[in-house]
Amino acid sequence: MRNYILKRILLIPLTLFGILCINFFIIQMAPGGPVEYMLAKYRGMNVDATSSLTSTSQMNASQHSESSYQGAQGVPDYLVEELKKQFGFDKPIYVRFLKMIKDYALFDFGKSYYKDKTVSQLIWERLPVSISLGLWSTLIIYLVSIPLGVKKAVRDGSSFDVWTSFIVVLGSSIPVFLFAVFLIVFFAGGTYFQWFPLRGLTSSNWEELSWGGKIIDYFWHITLPVLTMVIGGFASLTMLTKNSFVDELSKPYVLTAKAKGLKENQVLYGHVFRNAMLIVIAGFPSMLIKMLFTGSLLIEVIFSLNGLGLLGYEAIMTRDYPVIFGTLYIFALIGLVLKLISDITYSLVDPRINFEAI
C-alpha cells in the first residue's frame, strides 16, 4: 500500500499539469477574452471600465485598429495595445503557458484582472464557504441516508420500501436548481413565506451579534442551500446502503446468528452493520468531492453565496483568466487528494482490497 500511495502522490503533479494544459489551450481557442471583454465595455461607453487603463497620452480618434480582436473597430490603437500588455497577451502563447506552470508550482496564482486582490486572497476568502456547504451537506446526507437505507433493507418489498423508493427516485430525477427555486419561492419571500434569507451566509449586522447570535444567524442562512444539496444528493447513498445490507442479510453467517437465537437487532447491528457499512463509510471522501464540486456551483450562484463556485462563475463571465485557472487548480488538487484518501479508506476498512495489484 505504501508504494501505491507514493505512486499516487507522484502522479498528482502530472495530473495537474495535464488538466491545466488542456484547459489553458481550450480557453485560448474559445471566442472572447479579457481584451474583448474590456473593449466591449469601452464601446458601451462605460468610462469606469477603462479608467484604470488610460495612459498619459491623449486619445487620437482618427486612429483605428485593424486588430484581430472582435469589437476593436473604432477603438484607438494605443488602448488595444495597452490592454494586451496589461493582460499579458503581448507575449506568445507558449511563454504565457510556461510562466503559468512555473508560478502555479509555487502556488503563485497571480492577481485578478478586475479585483484589487491576488487570486490566493480571493480563494482563501471564498474557500470556507464552499467547504462549509460541502461538509454540512455530506454529514446530513449520511445521517439521513444510512438509517433510511437500513430500514428499507430490513423491510425490503414492503409498502414502506415502495413509497420511500418513489421519493428517492423523485429526489434524484429532479434537477437541484429546481429544488432551490422551489424553496426560494415558498420560504424565502418569493411568493408565500419569508422565513429564511434569500442571499448570503451572514446578516449585515453579523459583527454586532453575540457568539450565540452568530451561530443562529449562520444556520438560519445556510438552511435552504444545505437542504437543497441534501435533497439532490441523498438518493444514491440511500440505495447503496440498502443494497449493501440486503446483500449481507442473505449470507450464511446471518442465518447462523439467527439459528443461535440472537435477536434481530443483535444480528443487524452486531454483525451485519459493520460489514455492510464498509463500502458506505469508505465512500465518504467521494461524496464530499461530489458535494464540493458538482453540487455547490449552482447553489452558490442561486443563493448568492460567496464561495469558490460563485467566484469561478463570475470569473468565467468576465474572462478573468487568473481566477479561472486558480480556482480550477485548487478544485483539481483538492479532488485528487480526496480521491487518494478515498482509496486509502477503502483499503483500511476492507483489507481484501489491494490497489497495488491493479
Side-chain angles (χ1 to χ4, degrees):
M1 189 63 184
R2 184 180 301 174
N3 292 334
Y4 172 76
I5 295 174
L6 181 60
K7 286 190 290 186
R8 286 291 298 274
I9 292 174
L10 293 176
L11 281 173
I12 287 177
L14 294 176
T15 307
L16 287 173
F17 175 82
I19 292 172
L20 289 175
C21 181
I22 293 171
N23 284 274
F24 180 85
F25 288 102
I26 287 177
I27 288 179
Q28 298 302 316
M29 292 185 295
V35 175
E36 290 186 326
Y37 176 79
M38 293 301 288
L39 288 173
K41 297 194 74 172
Y42 177 84
R43 289 173 62 85
M45 304 305 294
N46 190 335
V47 180
D48 293 336
T50 56
S51 60
S52 62
L53 302 172
T54 54
S55 62
T56 54
S57 60
Q58 298 295 319
M59 180 183 297
N60 184 355
S62 62
Q63 294 181 344
H64 299 289
S65 175
E66 297 297 331
S67 172
S68 61
Y69 289 102
Q70 295 181 8
Q73 287 74 20
V75 177
D77 289 333
Y78 87 92
L79 182 56
V80 177
E81 294 301 321
E82 195 170 345
L83 284 169
K84 289 169 61 179
K85 184 177 180 180
Q86 176 177 328
F87 296 132
F89 285 88
D90 57 332
K91 300 180 179 65
I93 186 171
Y94 69 91
V95 174
R96 302 201 305 270
F97 176 71
L98 292 176
K99 183 180 185 303
M100 184 186 74
I101 294 298
K102 179 183 176 182
D103 292 341
Y104 278 33
L106 302 174
F107 287 89
D108 180 8
F109 305 124
K111 190 174 181 179
S112 169
Y113 286 160
Y114 312 113
K115 303 177 188 293
D116 192 23
K117 292 182 179 180
T118 64
V119 177
S120 297
Q121 288 177 316
L122 291 171
I123 289 175
W124 285 115
E125 287 176 1
R126 306 288 187 96
L127 188 60
V129 176
S130 296
I131 292 178
S132 178
L133 282 175
L135 285 176
W136 281 116
S137 301
T138 305
L139 177 62
I140 295 175
I141 285 172
Y142 266 76
L143 291 176
V144 172
S145 299
I146 292 175
L148 180 59
V150 172
K151 191 168 184 179
K152 283 174 64 63
V154 173
R155 302 178 62 178
D156 185 32
S158 66
S159 58
F160 171 82
D161 181 42
V162 172
W163 68 262
T164 52
S165 294
F166 172 77
I167 294 176
V168 168
V169 172
L170 183 65
S172 62
S173 60
I174 300 178
V176 174
F177 72 89
L178 286 183
F179 282 120
V181 173
F182 172 82
L183 293 175
I184 289 173
V185 169
F186 275 86
F187 303 111
T191 303
Y192 299 95
F193 307 103
Q194 196 167 1
W195 294 348
F196 297 96
L198 180 59
R199 62 182 67 239
L201 208 56
T202 57
S203 299
S204 57
N205 62 336
W206 166 262
E207 297 296 336
E208 303 172 3
L209 299 175
S210 61
W211 280 105
K214 287 182 178 179
I215 293 174
I216 295 173
D217 184 74
Y218 168 75
F219 283 107
W220 182 48
H221 281 77
I222 207 173
T223 297
L224 292 187
V226 169
L227 182 59
T228 303
M229 295 176 70
V230 168
I231 292 175
F234 82 103
S236 59
L237 184 60
T238 300
M239 298 310 296
L240 176 64
T241 304
K242 178 198 170 180
N243 294 334
S244 181
F245 269 81
V246 169
D247 183 57
E248 290 295 324
L249 287 171
S250 62
K251 291 184 177 179
Y253 76 89
V254 176
L255 299 177
T256 303
K258 290 181 178 179
K260 289 181 178 180
L262 295 179
K263 295 181 180 179
E264 183 179 354
N265 285 342
Q266 290 177 314
V267 175
L268 187 62
Y269 295 103
H271 296 79
V272 177
F273 189 82
R274 80 186 152 186
N275 293 326
M277 287 302 295
L278 291 178
I279 190 172
V280 176
I281 295 173
F284 182 85
S286 298
M287 176 64 72
L288 184 57
I289 293 174
K290 179 182 177 182
M291 290 296 103
L292 282 174
F293 300 150
T294 61
S296 62
L297 174 59
L298 280 176
I299 302 305
E300 289 178 10
V301 173
I302 293 173
F303 288 97
S304 299
L305 302 176
N306 289 323
L308 284 181
L310 182 59
L311 178 65
Y313 172 79
E314 293 173 344
I316 292 172
M317 297 302 295
T318 59
R319 307 300 193 269
D320 197 341
Y321 287 173
V323 177
I324 292 174
F325 290 118
T327 53
L328 173 67
Y329 184 87
I330 293 298
F331 271 136
L333 180 59
I334 293 175
L336 291 171
V337 172
L338 288 178
K339 183 60 179 174
L340 176 59
I341 293 174
S342 177
D343 291 344
I344 294 172
T345 307
Y346 274 114
S347 181
L348 291 176
V349 299
D350 191 349
R352 296 171 297 177
I353 298 176
N354 182 15
F355 287 105
E356 292 188 5
I358 300 176

